[in-house]
Amino acid sequence: MGKTVYSYIIALVDYAEEKGLADKADRMYYINRLLELLQLDGFEETSPAERLSLQTLLDRLCDFAVEQGIIEDGITDRDLLDTRIMGVFTPLPSAVIGTFETLYASSPETATEFFYTLSMDTNYIRTQRVAKDLRWKYQGKYGELDVTVNLSKPEKDPKAIAAAKNAGQSSYPKCQLCPENVGYHGRADHPARQNLRTIPLTVAGEAWHLQYSPYVYYNEHCILLKEIHSPMSITHQTFARLLDFTEQFPHYFIGSNADLPIVGGSILTHDHFQGGKYTFAMEKASCRKTFVLKDYPDLRIQWLHWPLSVLRITGEKERVYQLACLILDAWRSYSDPDAMVIAADENGNHNTITPIARREGDAFQLDLVLRNNITTPEHPMGLYHPHAEKHHIKKENIGLIEVMGLAVLPSRLKAELKELEERHLAGLPMDTEGTAKHALWWQEILTRREVTAENISSVLEEEVGRVFEAVLEDAGVYSPDERGEAGISRFVASLEQ
């Protein structure tokens, strides 16, 4: 690559200066830091590379490192190096915290905008990878659902898996959500985090940290993580934390995954919440039934027209908190055999809640999604989990993000649906590894839709959205119909007994 590597180094320093990550007075310092990382002993002034994106510049520098034998040519080694490079330009945690707190004093929204922009500029949020995700909307029975096929999270390459095995196990950091990740150099089985910064917050009297997801699923997708490594748990304190956060950041929603397997998220070992600045379909859902409780006449209590069972409480902060605690305690021990709601059996406790908090003007609002993780012989992965006939599209847990109406679908679907499309247009059977699982589904679609070369892509998007809608209905304890209304009414009535 010769002299060209210097042009990429210069272009990267130029980028850092443009984004306010580097001062011109420090220019030679940053050049020398990059030379050190790339094991270069000299430097030649040259013209900067043509205008390239940040990720392209980083890819070119990683190409050089591969050519020189500095790293292996795999996604893991490349990520470790390009994160280390961007760590050179990422301000110290104290500087980021200081700027955030200064901005917050005038405007919480300005403070989070600064922090979100910084997280993108330093490549902690990998915007170019996120842009690879397939995204579309599906207009269904419950409003406009979001559908994404997740292509941004890299899969482990075989060399990295072998390296991790040979390197042995490390317990530091304890997990990828621990605040000890800030500045961590990474290893084969743990991502580098030199460009990660978090904002320490006091939430409901406890130490928490705010950061953004490196693979954002929606605008300003943030994570609030507990400073202490402790497992997920939905308790009264959960509601206090969520409501306090929305008081501090009224422009953000925030929610928690449930704390039980099957209905919980992918990380149950570290207590954390997810939030951001986005309006999901569930937030816009209409009210199917309004309830009035004699001890809470000041609160608006609604059962939403939504595939999952959602009780929405709106009102003054402390009163919303009190009713949420009552509902959680009641639901934990509530059984309704006629509706297949079993609170506990020999396999353990089954009832929990997925809570989401937001502000409605000056009022506080909590959505309490009733969850149950019971299994049956017919549905061994969970009665209120995607049923088997839908696993060709979605078989993973229905977590917080899906609950609110955003499908996060596996990357395999991109290739599988493309192959299905090609084979249909060529008149070939759906009998390959990638299409056989979709064959019955596609056959049913063809009985009710006319599919042409012009509309097949849009038909597939619509039908995938339809499956996701049905998956959400599978996860609903009380369906949004007359029978479900009778069931949710029984539960609400039990609150006054």
Side-chain angles (χ1 to χ4, degrees):
M1 194 173 283
K3 218 174 159 180
T4 311
V5 67
Y6 302 124
S7 69
Y8 295 138
I9 289 173
I10 292 170
L12 185 56
V13 175
D14 287 345
Y15 166 87
E17 290 176 357
E18 289 174 14
K19 296 296 184 180
L21 301 173
D23 191 283
K24 287 187 180 297
D26 300 319
R27 187 174 180 84
M28 283 312 306
Y29 167 82
Y30 286 115
I31 288 173
N32 284 330
R33 287 294 310 279
L34 296 178
L35 294 176
E36 176 188 357
L37 291 181
L38 296 170
Q39 299 181 17
L40 289 165
D41 293 328
F43 176 70
E44 297 180 34
E45 280 287 356
T46 186
S47 300
E50 70 273 22
R51 190 79 180 184
L52 299 171
S53 69
L54 172 60
Q55 191 58 57
T56 301
L57 284 174
L58 293 172
D59 288 344
R60 298 285 172 82
L61 293 176
C62 286
D63 290 342
F64 173 81
V66 170
E67 291 174 7
Q68 300 301 307
I70 299 170
I71 62 171
E72 294 284 341
D73 190 13
I75 186 67
T76 301
D77 274 18
R78 283 174 171 269
D79 280 3
L80 290 171
L81 179 59
D82 74 13
T83 303
R84 190 177 180 191
I85 288 171
M86 291 310 298
V88 168
F89 299 105
T90 305
L92 287 171
S94 57
V96 176
I97 294 165
T99 301
F100 184 93
E101 291 178 345
T102 298
L103 293 172
Y104 181 89
S106 299
S107 166
E109 193 164 3
T110 301
T112 55
E113 286 174 356
F114 150 76
F115 189 35
Y116 187 60
T117 300
L118 176 71
S119 299
M120 291 188 289
D121 290 345
T122 58
N123 208 43
Y124 180 72
I125 297 175
R126 291 182 174 267
T127 53
Q128 283 199 252
R129 284 192 187 162
V130 172
K132 296 177 182 178
D133 289 350
L134 304 181
R135 300 172 184 269
W136 66 90
K137 303 277 189 179
Y138 169 70
Q139 185 63 48
K141 295 183 286 184
Y142 307 98
E144 193 174 61
L145 304 180
D146 293 293
V147 182
T148 66
V149 175
N150 179 25
L151 303 174
S152 54
K153 285 189 178 180
E155 297 181 3
K156 287 282 187 181
D157 57 76
K159 290 181 180 178
I161 294 171
K165 182 179 180 180
N166 294 333
Q169 296 297 310
S170 171
S171 60
Y172 181 86
K174 288 183 179 178
C175 77
Q176 292 188 27
L177 291 180
C178 286
E180 289 82 9
N181 281 280
V182 173
Y184 186 64
H185 62 82
R187 54 183 190 266
D189 64 344
H190 195 101
R193 290 291 185 251
Q194 287 100 328
N195 56 352
L196 168 64
R197 298 295 178 263
T198 68
I199 304 297
L201 300 174
T202 300
V203 180
E206 302 168 329
W208 290 73
H209 289 254
L210 180 68
Q211 67 171 75
Y212 289 99
S213 169
Y215 300 106
V216 292
Y217 289 128
Y218 51 83
N219 187 45
E220 298 188 37
H221 180 179
C222 67
I223 301 172
L224 183 67
L225 54 97
K226 198 172 185 180
E227 185 166 286
I228 299 171
H229 181 82
S230 58
M232 295 281 295
S233 181
I234 302 296
T235 66
H236 294 185
Q237 186 68 1
T238 302
F239 303 138
R241 295 161 181 162
L242 296 177
L243 293 167
D244 188 24
F245 181 86
T246 60
E247 186 166 34
Q248 295 184 49
F249 299 93
H251 59 293
Y252 272 5
F253 82 88
I254 190 158
S256 174
N257 273 303
D259 55 352
L260 293 178
I262 298 177
V263 296
S266 58
I267 301 178
L268 297 177
T269 56
H270 193 123
D271 211 353
H272 69 285
F273 306 129
Q274 296 181 77
K277 192 177 180 182
Y278 189 71
T279 302
F280 289 88
M282 191 179 81
E283 183 177 345
K284 296 182 282 188
S286 61
C287 171
R288 187 174 178 93
K289 185 177 177 65
T290 299
F291 295 99
V292 177
L293 296 177
K294 65 178 185 296
D295 291 336
Y296 298 90
D298 51 319
L299 296 182
R300 189 170 77 240
I301 307 166
Q302 300 169 304
W303 180 47
L304 300 187
H305 180 66
W306 190 247
L308 288 97
S309 307
V310 187
L311 287 173
R312 174 171 290 171
I313 313 167
T314 309
E316 187 270 329
K317 179 184 176 184
E318 182 60 26
R319 295 287 286 164
V320 168
Y321 167 77
Q322 291 170 359
L323 180 54
C325 293
L326 174 66
I327 290 173
L328 175 64
D329 291 345
W331 180 247
R332 288 285 193 195
S333 59
Y334 184 79
S335 289
D336 185 354
D338 290 342
M340 282 303 293
V341 175
I342 308 298
D345 58 20
E346 66 277 6
N347 296 315
N349 297 321
H350 296 301
N351 287 352
T352 187
I353 280 176
T354 298
I356 302 104
R358 69 181 70 85
R359 299 293 293 277
E360 187 187 75
D362 293 333
F364 290 79
Q365 190 170 87
L366 265 179
D367 286 350
L368 304 179
V369 187
L370 307 182
R371 311 298 300 275
N372 180 285
N373 76 343
I374 193 171
T375 60
T376 67
E378 184 182 1
H379 300 289
M381 293 184 68
L383 176 59
Y384 303 109
H385 178 83
H387 292 174
E389 72 274 8
K390 305 176 188 76
H391 287 181
H392 66 106
I393 297 295
K394 173 77 173 176
K395 66 178 180 179
E396 298 79 12
N397 291 357
I398 300 302
L400 171 67
I401 293 173
E402 287 94 352
V403 162
M404 296 185 291
L406 191 158
V408 181
L409 303 179
S411 59
R412 62 176 172 81
L413 285 177
K414 179 182 180 181
E416 290 175 1
L417 296 180
K418 182 65 174 175
E419 185 182 8
L420 184 154
E421 186 175 322
E422 292 171 349
R423 292 185 73 81
H424 174 79
L425 294 177
L428 298 173
M430 303 301 166
D431 57 2
T432 64
E433 182 180 354
T435 60
K437 68 188 74 171
H438 303 294
L440 290 177
W441 171 64
W442 185 241
Q443 185 178 352
E444 187 277 328
I445 292 169
L446 293 177
T447 65
R448 56 182 169 80
R449 300 197 65 163
E450 182 179 348
V451 178
T452 66
E454 288 71 29
N455 74 358
I456 188 169
S457 294
S458 61
V459 166
L460 279 169
E461 288 187 353
E462 290 171 16
E463 294 299 334
V464 168
R466 188 189 302 272
V467 173
F468 174 59
E469 182 178 68
V471 159
L472 293 183
E473 290 176 333
D474 287 346
V477 176
Y478 294 112
S479 55
D481 54 25
E482 289 185 5
R483 181 176 180 180
E485 185 171 325
I488 194 72
S489 297
R490 288 194 297 273
F491 171 65
V492 173
S494 76
L495 299 175
E496 296 192 304
Q497 293 174 1

